[in-house]
Amino acid sequence: MTREGVSARVEVEMKGKVPMPVLLVARGATGDTTTATIPVEAWLAGERKAAIVMPVPADLTRIEIDPDRKFPDVDPLNQTWPRR
């Protein structure tokens, strides 16, 4: 994750074999959140990594992948920045 003003560039790697969209939630210290999605088409094109620049709260503390656990995941422990 790289901060760019009030946005962040988030790079995600597909480690499994089933392509799915990636739901991202950025959380700030005051409770503000923003969301973004990396569409499934990124993986269908054969890429193993995808990046998105997304708006984030100015007081960013955390970015989570699929916080509601809607999609199966190979390693659910690597879903946050910073790492737990």
Side-chain angles (χ1 to χ4, degrees), residues 25-67:
V25 176
R27 300 184 188 280
T30 58
D32 291 340
T33 62
T34 59
T35 62
T37 302
I38 297 174
V40 70
E41 287 79 12
W43 315 121
L44 295 177
E47 298 297 325
R48 299 301 293 175
K49 291 184 179 180
I52 189 171
V53 175
M54 66 180 288
V56 296
D59 58 348
L60 178 66
T61 59
R62 178 183 194 87
I63 295 179
E64 297 176 74
I65 298 173
D66 188 25

Side-chain angles (χ1 to χ4, degrees), residues 1 15 28 44 46 55 60 62 67 69-70 72 83:
M1 197 270 322
K15 295 189 175 195
L44 295 177
L60 178 66
R62 178 183 194 87
R69 304 294 181 245
K70 293 181 180 182
R83 297 265 192 241

Side-chain angles (χ1 to χ4, degrees), residues 66-77:
D66 188 25
D68 296 329
R69 304 294 181 245
K70 293 181 180 182
F71 298 102
D73 191 328
V74 166
D75 182 4
L77 299 178

Side-chain angles (χ1 to χ4, degrees), residues 1 9-15 20-24 38 42-43 47-52 63-65 78-79:
M1 197 270 322
R9 182 179 185 276
V10 180
E11 186 175 290
V12 178
E13 181 178 359
M14 185 172 106
K15 295 189 175 195
M20 295 182 197
V22 179
L23 309 173
L24 299 164
I38 297 174
W43 315 121
E47 298 297 325
R48 299 301 293 175
K49 291 184 179 180
I52 189 171
I63 295 179
E64 297 176 74
I65 298 173
N78 68 355
Q79 300 299 84

